[in-house]
Amino acid sequence: MQSQASEAIQQDRDALVALYEATDGSHWDDNTNWLSDAPLGDWYGVTTDDDGRVAELDLNFNNLRGVLPTVLGDLAQLTELKLSHNQLRGALPVAWDQLSKLEILHLDHNKLTGPLPGVWGQLRNLKTLRLRDNNLVGPLPAEWAHLVNITELDLGSNKLTGSLPAQWRHLDNVTKLDLNSNTLTGQVPAEWGQLSKVEMLDLAGNKLTGPLPTEWGRLHIIKQLRIAGNSLTTSLPQQDRAALVALYHATDGANWRESANWLSDVPIGSWHGVTADAAGRVTELNLGGGGNNLTGKLPAELGQLEHLEKLDLANNSLTGPLPAELGHLINLKVLLMHGNNLTGPLPAAWSHLNNLWWLTLDGNDLTGPLSAAWGHLSNLKRLNLASNRLTGPLPAEWGHLSNLESLLLHNNDLVGPLPVAWGRLSKLESLHLSDNRLTGSLPLSLTGLTVLEHFTFDNTELCAPPGRTFRAWLREIYRVSGANCIQDAANPRDEAALVALYEATDGARWTNNTNWLSDAPLDNWYGVTTDINSGRVVKLSLSRNNLRGELPADLGKLDHLERLDLPNNGLSGPLPTAWSQLDNLGVLGLSGNKLSGPLPAAWSRLGNLGWVYLQRNNLTGPLPKEWGKLVSLRRLWLADNDLSGPLPPEWGRLQSLTELMLFNNSLVGPLPVEWGQLRWLYWLSLYGNHLTGPLPQSLTRLTMLSLFYFNDTELCAPRDRAFQEWLRGVGEVRGRNC
């Protein structure tokens, strides 16, 4: 038995040696231990099983040049073979049909030629096959219909010809099928309507003809269907196209930021921002997000998109009223129109949107009352109407919104009491009523809201009633901001910290110092907010208030402080290390001052810190590697200082980070490979530094990135196709190629 095992391992070694010799192994980027006497598992890119047999081989991006050796088919225990992004040429080895345990095969981005081997249909365990960006020719093998476990099949960007095999209807587990940019011809098989698990089907850039079969209406879970660049036709009702054309003309489509394919003859599912189902009906319209420069009024014709499930027009410059006709969109689930200049009342007709679960209209100029009829929106979960000019009382009828989880009404002109009926909103998790003209004692019925986590009613005349039951309920809520009907006494420790700030920053000359140093409750001191239960200071906001001098260490004693906003003053001196005691601090805003000195490494102990704004100061020294421990950090703005030194690899651990602004400093060195782990990063701006070198390939993992500036540095983008494709997917990029 031992002799047989040794022979099997020797057979695997011989296969690897053959690969090394066939692909110019001496010039690979990394060939550590290859051809040595070290165990095969120590050879670069090789993983072995418990018996020493080769189980995985990963040589992506390793400068392999030459042909694929047939003898690799002798690796009987191989489950993964990854040779992407090399310079491999020649044909796909027919003999690899012996790799009976193979599950993953990546050969994409090479120079391979010849046909697809039909016998590979015997690879019954294969789950992922990537062959895109080669020079493969010939037809799609009907025999591949036997790949019953395949979930991803990517053959895009080759020179494949012939028709789409109807037999592939048996690929029961395929979720991604990519055939784009070939020369495939003929009609689309109706049988493919049986691919019940397919989520992405890309046929774009071929020479397919004829109609899309009606059977494709069975593809219920498909999320992305690309058919542009063919001569295919759809049975799209003319009203969907007419509605989109009306939107284009009504909102100055010629000046949209992105309008690819709009008004063209390609299927409307290929128009920018439009998603269509297999029958060609519009299901999603996404022209919001970061904004697309839509201006003008919304046309009533949008109400004709009867299959529409999502409408995102947020963050544009839309004006005029909300069309009542949108109330006809009975399939609508998500409606996002925040961040525009919309005016007029909330349409009562929208009460017919029985499937709507998410509605945002915040940041507009809407007026009039809250529509009582909206109490019929039985599936509504999230409603944001904040920062408008809405008036009138809170409708008791909204107490029927039994699925409501988040209700944001702050920054309006609403009046009157909070209805007793709202105590029936048993699923409510967030309720924000701050900055209105609401009045009265909160109703005792609110104690029925047992899952409420965020409740704000500060800057109103609402107040929390006394009583053990109500106060006990309030204490269970994670974040509360508002006044008690009977004010709690001030905390001496907090008062002393505030007095220290007043004295250190020339409080007598502040623009507004109302009630400071008086006997009034701390909550009545200008800019101070206290917790409704404990009376402890939770928020201190003194923006643009002429504070001058150094920040006192005593502010570190405000151990309940959650938000500290002191931007745009005349503050100077260092950042106090003692503030590392602010365990509850979530937001820190000190931008636009004259602060100097280093970033305190000790602040790495601020485990709840989510937003940090320190831009436009005179801060110096390195970026502390210790800040890589700030696991809650989402926004970090350090731009326009004089920070120096390298970018810390440790910051790759900031798994919650969405915005990182470091522009206009004196930072040096490369961008760390580890920063490719910042998977939620949305904005990254590095321009105006002394950074150098090529950007690491690991950045291609940042799939959420929409803004990336590295201009005015010595950083450069690699020219390989994979990196350039990723870079093109980033919404806004400034920087040069290597």
Side-chain angles (χ1 to χ4, degrees):
M1 293 292 293
Q2 186 174 1
S3 175
Q4 291 179 353
S6 298
E7 290 177 2
I9 293 174
Q10 183 60 45
Q11 177 177 290
D12 285 6
R13 189 183 194 280
D14 292 343
L16 295 181
V17 170
L19 174 66
Y20 183 91
E21 294 175 346
T23 59
D24 195 16
S26 61
H27 289 96
W28 290 357
D29 289 344
D30 194 333
N31 58 11
T32 302
N33 287 330
W34 277 71
L35 306 193
S36 73
D37 293 330
L40 297 183
D42 291 340
W43 293 19
Y44 172 76
V46 179
T47 302
T48 54
D49 60 19
D50 293 340
D51 297 322
R53 301 295 303 277
V54 175
E56 299 177 10
L57 182 57
D58 185 349
L59 295 172
N60 289 341
F61 295 99
N62 206 42
N63 198 36
L64 278 69
R65 296 175 179 270
V67 298
L68 295 169
T70 299
V71 72
L72 281 188
D74 293 339
L75 296 174
Q77 302 301 315
L78 192 66
T79 60
E80 295 187 14
L81 177 57
K82 299 178 181 179
L83 303 175
S84 300
H85 296 274
N86 286 294
Q87 300 293 321
L88 297 169
R89 52 185 172 79
L92 300 173
V94 173
W96 286 12
D97 67 332
Q98 303 172 47
L99 297 172
S100 60
K101 295 189 176 182
L102 194 64
E103 298 179 1
I104 296 175
L105 178 56
H106 294 176
L107 297 172
D108 51 289
H109 296 89
N110 281 289
K111 299 180 180 180
L112 299 167
T113 56
L116 304 175
V119 293
W120 281 17
Q122 299 177 27
L123 300 174
R124 301 297 174 84
N125 286 308
L126 199 61
K127 297 178 180 178
T128 301
L129 176 56
R130 297 178 183 173
L131 295 172
R132 74 173 300 109
D133 280 286
N134 282 289
N135 296 308
L136 300 169
V137 298
L140 304 177
E143 299 90 331
W144 284 20
H146 299 299
L147 298 174
V148 292
N149 286 304
I150 200 83
T151 59
E152 178 183 344
L153 179 54
D154 189 349
L155 304 175
S157 299
N158 281 287
K159 299 178 181 178
L160 300 169
T161 55
S163 60
L164 305 179
Q167 295 89 334
W168 283 20
R169 69 182 182 276
H170 297 299
L171 300 178
D172 293 334
N173 288 299
V174 70
T175 60
K176 177 182 178 181
L177 180 54
D178 193 339
L179 301 172
N180 78 83
S181 303
N182 283 287
T183 317
L184 300 168
T185 55
Q187 295 193 359
V188 176
E191 293 85 349
W192 283 23
Q194 300 175 30
L195 298 174
S196 59
K197 294 184 179 179
V198 69
E199 297 179 1
M200 191 280 256
L201 177 56
D202 193 345
L203 303 174
N206 284 285
K207 296 185 178 180
L208 300 167
T209 56
L212 281 181
T214 56
E215 291 83 353
W216 280 34
R218 305 172 189 159
L219 302 178
H220 297 301
I221 67 171
I222 197 163
K223 298 177 181 177
Q224 185 177 4
L225 174 63
R226 298 186 62 226
I227 58 175
N230 290 284
S231 298
L232 295 167
T233 58
T234 71
S235 57
L236 168 71
Q238 199 62 27
Q239 67 184 36
D240 281 22
R241 190 182 196 280
L244 296 180
V245 170
L247 174 67
Y248 182 91
H249 290 307
T251 59
D252 194 17
N255 288 305
W256 289 358
R257 184 171 290 114
E258 178 60 63
S259 60
N261 291 330
W262 276 72
L263 306 193
S264 72
D265 293 329
V266 304
I268 57 176
S270 298
W271 293 15
H272 171 75
V274 179
T275 301
D277 60 20
R281 302 302 304 271
V282 177
T283 58
E284 293 189 13
L285 184 53
N286 294 293
L287 298 173
N292 201 44
N293 201 36
L294 277 70
T295 60
K297 297 181 179 180
L298 292 171
E301 288 87 345
L302 284 180
Q304 300 173 11
L305 297 173
E306 56 190 27
H307 283 234
L308 195 65
E309 297 180 4
K310 179 182 178 183
L311 177 57
D312 183 358
L313 302 176
N315 298 315
N316 285 289
S317 299
L318 297 168
T319 56
L322 301 171
E325 290 80 1
L326 296 189
H328 301 314
L329 301 176
I330 59 174
N331 291 300
L332 195 64
K333 298 177 181 178
V334 176
L335 177 54
L336 309 178
M337 290 188 176
H338 55 272
N340 283 286
N341 299 309
L342 297 166
T343 56
L346 304 178
W350 286 17
S351 62
H352 302 301
L353 300 175
N354 293 328
N355 286 301
L356 192 67
W357 69 268
W358 187 8
L359 173 58
T360 66
L361 291 166
D362 50 299
N364 283 288
D365 293 310
L366 300 171
T367 55
L370 303 181
S371 174
W374 284 21
H376 297 296
L377 296 173
S378 58
N379 284 305
L380 197 62
K381 294 182 179 181
R382 301 170 64 178
L383 176 58
N384 191 344
L385 300 173
S387 300
N388 282 286
R389 291 188 289 133
L390 298 167
T391 56
L394 304 178
E397 292 83 353
W398 285 21
H400 297 301
L401 299 175
S402 58
N403 286 300
L404 198 63
E405 298 174 358
S406 176
L407 177 56
L408 280 61
L409 298 173
H410 51 282
N411 293 328
N412 280 289
D413 291 309
L414 301 168
V415 300
L418 198 156
V420 172
W422 284 26
R424 297 198 296 263
L425 301 175
S426 60
K427 295 184 179 180
L428 200 61
E429 298 175 1
S430 296
L431 176 59
H432 294 279
L433 304 171
S434 304
D435 298 293
N436 279 286
R437 293 189 288 134
L438 301 167
T439 56
S441 178
L442 297 174
L444 296 178
S445 62
L446 292 188
T447 57
L449 308 184
T450 57
V451 297
L452 195 64
E453 295 184 353
H454 301 271
F455 183 25
T456 64
F457 55 96
D458 49 311
N459 294 325
T460 71
E461 294 300 318
L462 293 171
C463 64
R468 182 177 301 174
T469 301
F470 199 92
R471 294 298 176 88
W473 171 76
L474 276 179
R475 283 193 295 272
E476 293 298 318
I477 299 175
Y478 181 65
R479 289 281 188 271
V480 179
S481 179
N484 287 324
C485 297
I486 300 176
Q487 181 68 44
D488 289 326
N491 183 282
R493 177 185 174 95
D494 288 5
E495 183 173 357
L498 296 179
V499 170
L501 174 67
Y502 183 92
E503 294 175 346
T505 59
D506 197 13
R509 297 178 183 273
W510 289 358
T511 304
N512 190 336
N513 58 11
T514 301
N515 287 329
W516 277 71
L517 306 193
S518 74
D519 292 330
L522 296 184
D523 200 43
N524 290 344
W525 292 22
Y526 173 74
V528 178
T529 302
T530 59
D531 178 72
I532 190 170
N533 295 308
S534 64
R536 301 296 302 277
V537 175
V538 294
K539 180 179 177 182
L540 181 56
S541 181
L542 296 170
S543 173
R544 300 183 186 277
N545 204 44
N546 197 35
L547 278 69
R548 298 182 179 275
E550 297 191 2
L551 295 168
D554 283 353
L555 279 188
K557 298 176 181 178
L558 295 174
D559 49 16
H560 282 232
L561 192 65
E562 299 170 8
R563 181 163 189 146
L564 177 58
D565 286 321
L566 305 176
N568 302 309
N569 284 290
L571 297 168
S572 57
L575 300 172
T577 301
W579 288 12
S580 61
Q581 304 171 40
L582 297 172
D583 294 336
N584 291 297
L585 192 63
V587 178
L588 176 60
L590 295 172
S591 58
N593 283 289
K594 300 175 183 179
L595 299 167
S596 58
L599 303 174
W603 284 14
S604 62
R605 296 196 288 268
L606 299 174
N608 287 305
L609 197 58
W611 296 359
V612 177
Y613 300 105
L614 292 170
Q615 69 271 24
R616 301 195 316 279
N617 280 289
N618 300 314
L619 299 171
T620 57
L623 305 179
K625 64 181 182 181
E626 293 85 355
W627 283 23
K629 300 176 184 177
L630 295 172
V631 294
S632 298
L633 199 59
R634 295 181 59 195
R635 297 180 181 177
L636 179 54
W637 287 60
L638 299 173
D640 292 311
N641 282 288
D642 195 20
L643 298 167
S644 57
L647 304 177
E650 292 82 358
W651 285 20
R653 302 173 191 156
L654 299 174
Q655 293 296 299
S656 299
L657 199 63
T658 61
E659 298 176 14
L660 180 54
M661 298 305 207
L662 298 173
F663 55 86
N664 291 337
N665 279 288
S666 300
L667 301 168
V668 299
L671 200 157
V673 173
E674 291 81 357
W675 285 24
Q677 301 171 24
L678 302 174
R679 61 192 181 98
W680 294 111
L681 199 61
Y682 194 71
W683 290 351
L684 176 58
S685 184
L686 304 171
Y687 70 83
N689 280 285
H690 304 304
L691 301 168
T692 56
L695 299 172
Q697 293 287 341
S698 61
L699 292 189
T700 58
R701 303 174 194 155
L702 305 183
T703 56
M704 303 292 291
L705 200 63
S706 68
L707 181 149
F708 184 22
Y709 292 167
F710 57 97
N711 52 306
D712 195 17
T713 70
E714 293 301 317
L715 294 171
C716 63
R719 291 181 176 270
D720 64 271
R721 180 176 296 179
F723 196 94
Q724 291 292 321
E725 284 185 359
W726 169 78
L727 202 61
R728 284 193 292 272
V730 178
E732 190 169 347
V733 178
R734 295 179 186 174
R736 64 182 181 88
N737 290 327
C738 297

